[in-house]
Amino acid sequence: MKQTLGNLERQLFAYAQMRGLRTLRTGDLTTALGISRKQESKLFTRLSTARMIAQARRGLYLIPQRLPLGGSWAPSEILALNTLIGDRKGRYQICGPNAFNRYGYDEQVPNRIYVYNNRLHGERKVGPVQLTLIKVADRRLGSTEETATADGERGLYSSRARTLLDAVYDWSRFGSLPRAYEWIRADLKKQRVTARDLVQVTLRYGDVGTIRRMGYCLEQEGVEASLLQRLERALKPTRSCIPCVPSRAKRGTINRRWGVVDNAGT
């Protein structure tokens, strides 16, 4: 950790704070501070290594609103995410394990943030914030809830209904089946989510396999016939069957209506 600031470091923070800047880019300081590109690069490297600023990507740095006194600074997860996706003029929503924890489905706090977005894919790091970016089509983004952080940033999480849908849809990525069926049953029973909401998000964001599994699950919970028929109309007749829990052996009772093998207990 860098304990004292040199003249250039002090000038950088003074420049950013005077203008209310949260980010600086390569080239911003050459004119403002009268330094060369090489000096600027070394300055950014020194401060990011000392954890006094955070690199969002090559050439883009996050700057704290207040100078960290005697210690390192780290951006919030939402600030890191807003900066990274905002830089690409993209859209996003926090999903998967982070949403499972947010809504109380899983007590485990993820050590990284999982994000559906329409710009970037892969693992990224902004300061200490670790991100798993999952690129999806624009049509698969939506059904969100806004959250605010202490530093004034606003982020988007998948809604409760969307989170349950994604636990079925993206089961292989999140390892969420068969637990998702229990989450759905519990939320319906406690009226935290409605069957209508689940049907709507399933039809909008799900695929054929998800519609079949969700239809079967909702039928088991005694959901009204008109809602089940909405799901059924989205399916084409088929003789093939899929397992209720894809990671288990395909053995169990066959439900012909949905083409699902109930292997949840096998």
Side-chain angles (χ1 to χ4, degrees):
M1 173 61 205
K2 189 178 183 66
Q3 297 298 326
T4 59
L5 297 178
N7 184 50
L8 284 181
E9 286 90 342
R10 288 194 296 271
Q11 287 184 59
L12 178 149
F13 285 114
Y15 172 76
Q17 291 169 10
M18 183 169 59
R19 287 161 179 77
L21 300 177
R22 299 304 305 273
T23 59
L24 288 172
R25 300 170 186 269
T26 298
D28 285 349
L29 300 178
T30 53
T31 300
L33 304 188
I35 59 178
S36 68
R37 278 293 187 98
K38 186 174 182 180
Q39 287 176 305
E40 181 191 57
S41 177
K42 288 183 176 181
L43 176 59
F44 281 138
T45 298
R46 285 198 303 273
L47 288 173
S48 58
T49 300
R51 299 182 182 179
M52 300 189 80
I53 65 175
Q55 185 178 39
R57 62 158 174 79
R58 187 174 181 180
L60 177 63
Y61 298 86
L62 272 165
I63 312 299
Q65 290 178 310
R66 300 177 189 82
L67 190 64
L69 300 176
S72 62
W73 172 80
S76 68
E77 292 178 342
I78 300 297
L79 175 59
L81 186 54
N82 284 346
T83 302
L84 193 62
I85 301 299
D87 177 58
R88 297 291 299 272
K89 296 180 171 56
R91 296 166 55 210
Y92 77 86
Q93 60 199 69
I94 300 169
C95 62
N98 306 91
F100 300 161
N101 179 261
R102 173 181 173 85
Y103 296 116
Y105 303 135
D106 194 334
E107 293 182 358
Q108 183 175 351
V109 179
N111 59 7
R112 60 179 49 249
I113 186 166
Y114 292 80
V115 186
Y116 287 143
N117 77 99
N118 61 349
R119 289 293 184 269
L120 301 169
H121 180 76
E123 307 297 322
R124 298 293 178 93
K125 192 173 181 181
V126 179
V129 179
Q130 299 184 73
L131 303 164
T132 295
L133 301 168
I134 306 161
K135 188 177 180 181
V136 299
D138 287 347
R139 60 181 175 78
R140 291 216 69 249
L141 291 173
S143 187
T144 59
E145 291 184 2
E146 189 176 88
T147 185
T149 65
D151 58 2
E153 292 292 316
R154 295 189 177 277
L156 292 176
Y157 276 82
S158 290
S159 69
R160 182 181 287 271
R162 175 63 193 271
T163 295
L164 291 172
L165 178 278
D166 287 332
V168 178
Y169 175 90
D170 226 347
W171 64 269
S172 61
R173 188 191 309 275
F174 301 138
S176 46
L177 283 180
R179 295 181 299 158
Y181 298 129
E182 294 301 322
W183 300 342
I184 291 169
R185 293 186 186 105
D187 270 13
L188 286 172
K189 184 176 180 180
K190 295 178 180 179
Q191 299 183 339
R192 292 173 176 163
V193 70
T194 67
R196 186 175 300 276
D197 288 340
L198 290 174
V199 168
Q200 287 176 344
V201 295
T202 299
L203 291 174
R204 184 168 182 180
Y205 305 108
D207 57 10
V208 171
T210 305
I211 294 171
R212 290 164 72 176
R213 291 186 175 104
M214 187 67 79
Y216 177 67
C217 178
L218 294 179
E219 184 180 49
Q220 299 303 301
E221 296 308 300
V223 168
E224 61 184 271
S226 62
L227 291 176
L228 296 176
Q229 288 166 3
R230 288 182 60 190
L231 292 175
E232 201 170 15
R233 285 195 294 269
L235 299 172
K236 295 179 180 179
T238 181
R239 292 185 178 181
S240 66
C241 291
I242 61 173
C244 188
V245 183
S247 60
R248 296 182 181 178
K250 195 176 174 180
R251 294 193 298 269
T253 304
I254 297 176
N255 181 290
R256 295 294 180 186
R257 180 180 186 182
W258 303 104
V260 170
V261 178
D262 186 355
N263 64 342
T266 62

